[in-house]
Amino acid sequence: MSGRIRKRRDAIRHELTGFPNAASREATSAAEINASVDAFLQEDTDLLVIVGGDGTVQAVLNHLFTTRPMANWPVLTVVPGGTTNMTALDMGIHGKPEHVLRKLSKCLQGRTLPVLLQRHVLCIEQAGAANVYGMFFGIGLIARAVIFSQGRIKQLGVTGEVYSAIIMLGYLAGALMGRRQGAWAPVQMSVIEQGIELHHGSYAFLFASTLDRLLFGMRPYWGREREPLHVTFVRQQRKRPLRSLLQLLSGRGSVLEERDGYYSSNTRTLELLVDDEYIVDGESYRATSHGGPLRLSAVGPINFLVADSGNADS
């Protein structure tokens, strides 16, 4: 049911028939994804190919972390078939799903050389709730935009970065026009690092990711620490909102200053004391401060195979 797969099922199935010594399964729910992963693990699969979007990758990661030590995982590879495909794009994997599968088939038959990339994974922990694993965490304006769009924009059949651009531009326009209620309401929270509350107040948004690049190849963080978890947040009260936002999105955030409402760092763990909705790779959850802070940490790294070495940074 991933966004780009619905229109390409036959082409994808055709490409899968050309894979040597391979088995495939189709899933339309989280339960079916879990059952499929279990079946492959029981067969000692050495390469697990995930054809889907960020939500599908997240579902597979969640199940793997829950059921098996990382040392016993197969190598993973991602074929971008979703509405959003940040994880695949960060690793230089792009193109129509059937074309990516064709490259992968040639690679597995020894006609091209693979590259193994390592990526850390976010682990989100909350007392009284199961751990959530993924690559991108967002709260505030980002989470509200994604949750709203899932019921509206998807009905238009728009996918890929065009889908994300429509959401982002619409919400940024509303924020710059001064909207502060409903979907544009700020999030109230405290940001804690190493047990110390470093920041507290009203925020437009905060995001954290283990990916080097986000949508459109953006790198909207500028921390210098050599840690795998990239964190950026913007306060609700900030100076020069339009100009600064353009600098952040264009990768020139290093000129922004914390005193003006902009902050970015690299870390290994982060805690948020917050009561609000958040998203992980497009899937929505709710944080509550009743049981303590929401804890974000980087785990891994894990191995991903990229079929075409010319498409990736090793």
Side-chain angles (χ1 to χ4, degrees):
M1 302 302 293
S2 295
R4 301 175 70 196
I5 289 178
R6 289 193 293 266
K7 299 177 181 178
R8 296 183 165 88
R9 283 196 188 96
D10 291 341
I12 291 170
R13 289 168 179 155
H14 175 73
E15 291 299 332
L16 290 173
T17 61
F19 275 70
N21 304 315
S24 65
R25 289 174 174 262
E26 298 183 29
T28 58
S29 66
E32 290 183 5
I33 290 174
N34 294 346
S36 297
V37 172
D38 287 339
F40 287 130
L41 294 178
Q42 290 170 6
E43 295 168 2
D44 292 327
T45 299
D46 53 6
L47 176 66
L48 183 58
V49 183
I50 307 167
V51 186
D54 293 330
T56 307
V57 176
Q58 187 222 8
V60 173
L61 290 173
N62 267 320
H63 193 61
L64 284 171
F65 273 108
T66 303
T67 59
R68 178 169 288 210
M70 285 188 295
N72 297 334
W73 287 18
V75 174
L76 305 180
T77 190
V78 181
V79 175
T83 303
T84 57
N85 303 282
M86 283 198 299
T87 300
L89 291 172
D90 178 62
M91 291 183 280
I93 305 172
H94 51 81
K96 295 179 180 179
E98 60 269 29
H99 295 169
V100 176
L101 283 168
R102 196 171 305 155
K103 287 184 180 180
L104 180 60
S105 178
K106 292 178 180 178
C107 174
L108 297 179
Q109 295 178 62
R111 294 162 63 183
T112 60
L113 293 176
V115 168
L116 280 181
L117 303 182
Q118 290 193 322
R119 291 291 185 272
H120 283 82
V121 177
L122 272 173
C123 174
I124 298 94
E125 302 171 84
Q126 176 93 72
N131 290 357
V132 178
Y133 297 88
M135 298 297 200
F136 179 87
F137 169 95
I139 197 167
L141 185 65
I142 293 172
R144 304 193 205 292
V146 170
I147 293 168
F148 170 82
S149 70
Q150 288 173 342
R152 304 291 181 88
I153 307 298
K154 275 191 175 181
Q155 294 176 359
L156 301 177
V158 180
T159 61
E161 293 190 329
V162 174
Y163 163 88
S164 303
I166 292 173
I167 301 167
M168 186 169 66
L169 291 174
Y171 269 75
L172 290 180
L176 293 172
M177 291 168 60
R179 295 190 179 184
R180 299 292 183 269
Q181 302 299 319
W184 285 269
V187 57
Q188 307 295 324
M189 63 182 173
S190 297
V191 182
I192 303 165
E193 289 190 65
Q194 298 180 350
I196 302 172
E197 183 180 301
L198 298 179
H199 313 279
H200 174 78
S202 179
Y203 298 86
F205 59 83
L206 177 148
F207 59 83
S209 180
T210 54
L211 301 176
D212 292 330
R213 291 169 288 190
L214 302 182
L215 292 169
F216 317 109
M218 293 188 303
R219 289 184 171 90
Y221 18 68
W222 53 94
R224 297 182 180 275
E225 301 85 355
R226 297 180 65 84
E227 297 291 352
L229 179 54
H230 311 303
V231 180
T232 296
F233 66 70
V234 174
R235 289 188 178 272
Q236 182 67 14
Q237 299 298 323
R238 55 196 184 274
K239 293 184 178 180
R240 303 182 301 276
L242 177 57
R243 178 183 175 185
S244 297
L245 204 53
L246 291 174
Q247 290 172 323
L248 187 154
L249 296 177
S250 64
R252 294 182 288 119
S254 59
V255 303
L256 302 175
E257 298 187 23
E258 184 178 351
R259 64 184 180 183
D260 294 331
Y262 304 87
Y263 177 84
S264 187
S265 69
N266 300 325
T267 185
R268 186 165 287 272
T269 61
L270 181 76
E271 292 183 322
L272 304 176
L273 203 58
V274 60
D275 294 274
D276 214 314
E277 291 181 295
Y278 65 92
I279 58 106
V280 180
D281 296 337
E283 303 299 317
S284 59
Y285 304 86
R286 184 163 187 88
T288 172
S289 61
H290 178 72
L294 190 73
R295 186 175 188 270
L296 283 67
S297 60
V299 295
I302 62 174
N303 291 318
F304 288 89
L305 181 144
V306 176
D308 187 351
S309 61
N311 283 344
D313 299 324
S314 57

